[in-house]
Amino acid sequence: MSGLDELQNELAEALVEELLSPLGTGQSALWNLTGAVGSGKSTTLRLVETKLRESKSLIPIHLQAPGEVDSAPIAILSAATQLKAHQMLNGELERICDPRLTLAEKLTALGPTLEKHRNDVVLICDEPLYWQRKEWGDSQNLGRWLVKEVPCRRLISGRLPTSDNPD
C-alpha cells in the first residue's frame, strides 16, 4: 500500500510529464488539481515546482497568497517579481507595483510577458479564487483571467469559476 508522500510524488511526476509534453502548450494547457482540504494539493504543487526547476525545461512561476481573501494583488506582484528574476519583464514591474491600478489593470500588464514566454513558463496557482473579495467589481476576473486569457501552461489547485471549468 502506497503512503500519501509516495502518491503525491507519483502525481507530481505525472503532472510534470504532461506539462513537458508537446500537447501541454497554448491556451488549452490548463490542469486543475482538486481535492478535499488537507488532501495534499499544496504539497503536490510544490513538488511539481521543484521537479520543473530540476528539469530546467520550463520556468515555474508559483502564485500564492497569504490566505487572505483580498490578497490577489500580492500574488500578482509575486508573479511579476519571479518573472523579473528570470529577466522576462521590461518595466512592467513598476506598473504592477502601482497601488492605484486595479487588479484587472495589473493582470493586463502581465499579459504580453506571458504571451511572449508562453512556451517557457508554467503558472502554478494555489487556490486562486480565495484571493479576492466577492464585492470587488472584478471579483471573478482573476479566475477568468487564469482560465480563459493566460496563454501559457497553468496548474491550478482548488475551485475554478463554475462557468469556466476546463474540459
Side-chain angles (χ1 to χ4, degrees):
M1 184 169 163
S2 298
L4 182 58
D5 289 346
E6 188 177 332
L7 292 172
Q8 288 171 323
N9 197 46
E10 288 173 9
L11 176 58
E13 287 178 11
L15 285 167
V16 167
E17 189 174 314
E18 285 192 35
L19 288 164
L20 292 173
S21 78
L23 298 176
T25 59
Q27 184 60 40
S28 62
L30 171 64
W31 291 263
N32 184 214
L33 183 60
T34 61
V37 173
S39 63
K41 298 181 298 294
S42 297
T43 300
T44 301
L45 292 181
R46 285 191 296 277
L47 287 169
V48 168
E49 178 182 10
T50 299
K51 290 175 185 305
L52 285 174
R53 286 193 197 291
E54 290 170 355
S55 78
K56 298 182 180 174
S57 298
L58 294 171
I59 299 168
I61 303 296
H62 197 140
L63 279 72
Q64 58 188 20
E68 302 295 326
V69 293
D70 58 353
S71 56
I74 295 169
I76 299 307
L77 179 59
S78 172
T81 302
Q82 292 174 69
L83 289 165
K84 183 168 178 64
H86 289 283
Q87 301 171 347
M88 294 181 172
L89 289 180
N90 294 318
E92 297 90 348
L93 184 60
E94 291 77 22
R95 183 163 165 78
I96 293 166
C97 290
D98 188 340
R100 297 168 295 184
L101 293 183
T102 65
L103 177 60
E105 291 169 321
K106 292 175 187 223
L107 296 176
T108 299
L110 271 182
T113 298
L114 294 174
E115 173 66 38
K116 181 178 179 183
H117 299 285
R118 68 187 301 149
N119 294 321
D120 304 315
V121 170
V122 176
L123 291 184
I124 299 175
C125 308
D126 198 357
E127 302 275 1
L129 289 189
Y130 289 125
W131 303 344
Q132 310 185 178
R133 291 180 186 242
K134 289 183 181 176
E135 62 269 16
W136 287 0
D138 55 0
S139 66
Q140 289 297 313
N141 197 23
L142 178 64
R144 192 171 46 253
W145 180 76
L146 285 169
V147 173
K148 294 287 188 183
E149 297 177 29
V150 174
C152 64
R153 296 166 175 93
R154 286 100 63 219
L155 173 57
I156 302 172
S157 72
R159 291 183 314 109
L160 298 177
T162 53
S163 62
D164 293 331
N165 285 333
D167 296 335

